[in-house]
Amino acid sequence: MKIRILTAFLGVLMLFLSATAGKPGLSGVEGSKPPVVSSSKPNILWIMSDDHTTQGIGAYGSRLAILDPTPTIDKLAAEGAIFTNAFCTNSICTPSRATLMTGQYSHTNGVTTLFEPLPPSRQYLPKWIKEQGYETAMIGKWHLKDEPAPYDYYAVLENQGWYFNPVFRVRGPEPWPNNEFQFPGYDCVHSSDAITRLSLDWLKQRKSDKPFFLMHHFKAPHDNFENAERYDWLYEDDFIPEPESLWDRANHGPQGGELYGTSVGKRNERRNMGHHMFVDESLSDKEYKRVAYQRYMKKYLRTVKGLDDNLEILFKYLKKTGEFDNTIVIYSADQGFMLGEHDYIDKRWMYEESLRQPFIVRYPKMIKAGTVIDTIVNNTDYAPTLVELAGGKAPEDVVEGRSFVNLLKGKPMENPRESTYYRYWLHMAHHDNPAHFGVRTKTHKLIFFYGMGLGHEYVTDEDTPPHWEMYDLSKDPKEQNNIFQNPEHKKVRKALLKELVRLREETGDTDDQYPALKKLFKEEARKILAE
């Protein structure tokens, strides 16, 4: 890969020199001279991590909260609002980020898998925010392939990005993506530290009196969970609490005991934690699983601690400049993540740990401290919400989501969601997850694993047997009992199917271009309705 230091591009060079000066690692905020902001509008700081699931955040009260992994994020939640039913609509990095930029479902914005770009013409969010008088910046993980051209400033990781001494792409004299610089250093510079330095330098060097809209997006804690050296021994002597379903899957998953050609209880060689954590294959199954889980979780949580510490530094700067309380601070992740639940890693599934996103907002001028919001929202709603917070309104003929600003104000949301729609397209790719779609309400979930590649790139053309899963989340929040075939739940099953059909029609995801799938779903639906 060819790396160019933009000596001809003075602004970028000065930012680069400032960002890489001094000892690598965490740094303070001394010497900052913030611009005077005359606007009465609040700044907006949208922090997003990659794969940081709610189980890895203390404020969400999971089994990992006892380890205190996120004190800075927890304080943010205590001083603002925490959403307990925020969901993604396609649990994979690139599609989720495209939904954030457009307010649209994957089939509408055209980014259904990891391989489609989102062109600048459809990067709506920064355009709409700029129209409200904001200076915009995108710093960190981008992962949408095309240039983030609508932003006033950007420094984004090359593709997935490196954990150490990362390469950033910026605007410069040559066409995208040829303007690059790399964080050097005597010691390795971790990506979380680098992204925070760049955000701090952009904030310090701003000349505009406009409010800022800064998207500060970490690579962490995306696998393979490489932490900064200072965290190498964190949790070394701790035993990480295990989910019960790591050992006992009960009646989770397809009924009949077969999981896509692999018997339940056996290790899928491409989808087990030990394979990724280099665990000794000669260990017994029980010991192998325990060692793998502990190693996996400690590496994951070390990267989480690194981003949380960096947020403390970022917030310290905003407090010093007097802008913290005048800034809408949002913390989220692109999707959830499986941390050993059901003996799974990664995301993609429509199961709770992968489907649910953390979403936390602090803005004391609007939001009462300690607010807990359990209304269903999904990531198509984030763009219209941000635009309204900036003082505008997203075009209703473009966005498919709906603003939930009223919830932040402590008021009822207009036309709140009774359910949310989900679809995963990357059939049997990477982690052998079959393609599926489904509906989630406050109390239940219905998933149809249709198991077709539909001609998408990098997916298998081999279909997997279609099957259904249904969970009563009010009685079975850990999804340990697939009740789809239980005759006692026939009425609920039909109601959920009707809601799924309604959502597919409402969103326009009716598979008219895939006649084989459309026929399959129609036949399966007819069986349920005929019961």
Side-chain angles (χ1 to χ4, degrees):
M1 177 181 55
K2 187 175 180 181
I3 306 296
R4 295 177 175 87
I5 303 297
L6 303 180
T7 54
F9 191 39
L10 182 60
V12 173
L13 176 61
M14 293 185 66
L15 178 62
F16 169 68
L17 292 173
S18 174
T20 56
K23 184 179 179 181
L26 297 176
S27 57
V29 296
E30 289 74 14
S32 57
K33 293 183 179 180
V36 177
V37 179
S38 62
S39 172
S40 60
K41 289 189 174 185
N43 306 307
I44 302 174
L45 171 61
W46 188 358
I47 303 153
M48 195 168 81
S49 53
D50 193 319
D51 296 343
H52 192 193
T53 184
T54 56
Q55 309 97 280
I57 298 174
Y60 278 94
S62 78
R63 68 183 186 277
L64 301 175
I66 192 173
L67 299 169
D68 192 28
T70 51
T72 306
I73 297 171
D74 296 348
K75 186 177 181 182
L76 194 75
E79 295 176 351
I82 184 170
F83 286 71
T84 58
N85 280 318
F87 302 107
C88 62
T89 52
N90 185 353
S91 186
I92 192 71
C93 298
T94 304
S96 180
R97 292 164 192 272
T99 291
L100 302 181
M101 289 292 102
T102 61
Q104 298 171 340
Y105 292 91
S106 298
H107 63 275
T108 301
N109 63 43
V111 183
T112 57
T113 72
L114 293 170
F115 309 107
E116 301 97 352
L118 186 71
S121 61
R122 287 191 280 125
Q123 296 169 19
Y124 300 130
L125 181 58
K127 296 178 182 180
W128 294 334
I129 297 291
K130 285 175 71 172
E131 289 172 357
Q132 305 309 313
Y134 280 74
E135 184 179 14
T136 61
M138 170 70 221
I139 298 175
K141 181 168 178 179
W142 174 240
H143 212 203
L144 288 170
K145 296 185 172 42
D146 279 2
E147 181 184 13
Y151 291 89
D152 293 308
Y153 173 79
Y154 64 80
V156 295
L157 292 171
E158 179 188 31
N159 300 320
Q160 183 64 248
W162 300 346
Y163 260 119
F164 291 101
N165 289 356
V167 174
F168 287 88
R169 292 173 171 172
V170 295
R171 203 186 312 272
E174 297 191 33
W176 166 273
N178 295 326
N179 304 289
E180 299 177 338
F181 69 85
Q182 182 176 15
F183 266 76
Y186 180 78
D187 297 319
C188 288
V189 180
H190 192 270
S191 69
S192 295
D193 301 342
I195 290 164
T196 300
R197 291 189 200 179
L198 287 173
S199 287
L200 286 172
D201 279 297
W202 181 77
L203 289 168
K204 293 173 186 178
Q205 295 177 25
R206 283 195 333 122
K207 300 296 189 291
S208 173
D209 62 357
K210 296 179 180 180
F212 66 77
F213 173 59
L214 170 59
M215 299 183 75
H216 176 92
H217 288 194
F218 290 109
K219 170 184 172 63
H222 191 280
D223 66 10
N224 276 329
F225 320 134
E226 297 178 44
N227 56 269
E229 184 178 4
R230 60 186 178 273
Y231 302 110
D232 277 352
W233 303 107
L234 182 66
Y235 304 117
E236 182 67 18
D237 298 323
D238 292 319
F239 181 81
I240 310 301
E242 300 167 343
E244 292 181 11
S245 59
L246 178 67
W247 300 101
D248 181 9
R249 294 168 56 86
N251 190 36
H252 168 82
Q255 293 176 332
E258 291 295 318
L259 188 62
Y260 320 118
T262 302
S263 297
V264 173
K266 280 190 176 182
R267 281 184 251 139
N268 180 311
E269 288 305 315
R270 292 207 307 156
R271 197 180 62 219
N272 76 84
M273 292 178 285
H275 177 77
H276 291 260
M277 298 294 111
F278 307 104
V279 175
D280 184 355
E281 292 281 347
S282 68
L283 295 173
S284 68
D285 281 352
K286 183 176 181 179
E287 188 62 17
Y288 179 96
K289 183 180 289 189
R290 175 148 286 154
V291 171
Y293 174 80
Q294 292 296 317
R295 192 172 295 177
Y296 179 86
M297 287 303 306
K298 288 175 183 181
K299 287 172 69 68
Y300 180 88
L301 290 172
R302 286 165 185 156
T303 64
V304 168
K305 178 60 174 172
L307 72 85
D308 192 81
D309 286 347
N310 270 286
L311 289 183
E312 183 180 11
I313 292 170
L314 191 58
F315 295 164
K316 181 181 177 181
Y317 171 78
L318 291 175
K319 290 173 183 177
K320 181 176 181 178
T321 62
E323 288 297 316
F324 192 54
D325 286 345
N326 189 46
T327 300
I328 299 170
V329 181
I330 299 168
Y331 184 81
S332 67
D334 49 358
Q335 61 261 325
F337 204 70
M338 309 298 294
L339 296 179
E341 296 83 10
H342 312 295
D343 202 12
Y344 287 152
I345 62 174
D346 204 70
K347 50 265 187 177
R348 305 164 195 266
W349 300 103
M350 197 188 163
Y351 303 135
E352 286 299 280
E353 296 83 5
S354 172
L355 175 69
R356 178 178 279 111
Q357 297 176 284
F359 199 85
I360 295 167
V361 189
R362 181 194 186 274
Y363 183 49
K365 296 180 181 180
M366 176 187 294
I367 303 168
K368 183 179 178 181
T371 296
V372 178
I373 298 173
D374 69 352
T375 303
I376 291 177
V377 299
N378 71 37
N379 58 352
T380 67
D381 301 326
Y382 298 168
T385 298
L386 282 163
V387 175
E388 185 173 344
L389 287 171
K393 187 174 182 181
E396 293 182 0
D397 61 339
V398 176
V399 297
E400 295 175 302
R402 57 195 76 170
S403 171
F404 51 78
V405 168
N406 271 0
L407 296 178
L408 299 174
K409 295 178 178 179
K411 300 177 181 179
M413 179 179 176
E414 295 182 17
N415 191 25
R417 294 183 185 278
E418 299 298 325
S419 63
T420 186
Y421 180 62
Y422 179 87
R423 182 163 186 176
Y424 175 72
W425 300 72
L426 267 171
H427 177 59
M428 301 302 284
H430 302 106
H431 290 271
D432 297 345
N433 309 61
H436 56 283
F437 54 71
V439 58
R440 204 260 196 213
T441 70
K442 276 281 190 73
T443 59
H444 288 81
K445 181 183 295 180
L446 179 69
I447 315 172
F448 180 49
F449 290 85
Y450 60 86
M452 296 181 180
L454 305 177
H456 278 82
E457 190 176 6
Y458 298 109
V459 304
T460 180
D461 291 330
E462 183 178 347
D463 295 346
T464 54
H467 77 276
W468 294 85
E469 295 180 30
M470 181 172 127
Y471 298 95
D472 183 345
L473 301 172
S474 62
K475 297 178 181 178
D476 178 30
K478 303 297 184 183
E479 297 174 304
Q480 285 286 75
N481 185 24
N482 177 11
I483 59 174
F484 177 76
Q485 293 181 357
N486 190 324
E488 296 179 4
H489 300 282
K490 179 171 63 175
K491 184 177 180 180
V492 175
R493 186 160 54 241
K494 289 183 178 181
L496 287 171
L497 174 63
K498 290 178 181 178
E499 180 65 2
L500 176 58
V501 171
R502 186 191 71 80
L503 287 174
R504 282 171 57 77
E505 292 176 350
E506 179 183 275
T507 63
D509 192 25
T510 54
D511 289 315
D512 293 340
Q513 69 275 44
Y514 305 117
L517 174 54
K518 187 169 185 177
K519 179 182 178 182
L520 174 65
F521 180 60
K522 186 175 181 179
E523 290 173 348
E524 291 287 328
R526 186 182 295 117
K527 293 176 187 177
I528 297 173
L529 296 174
E531 293 177 339

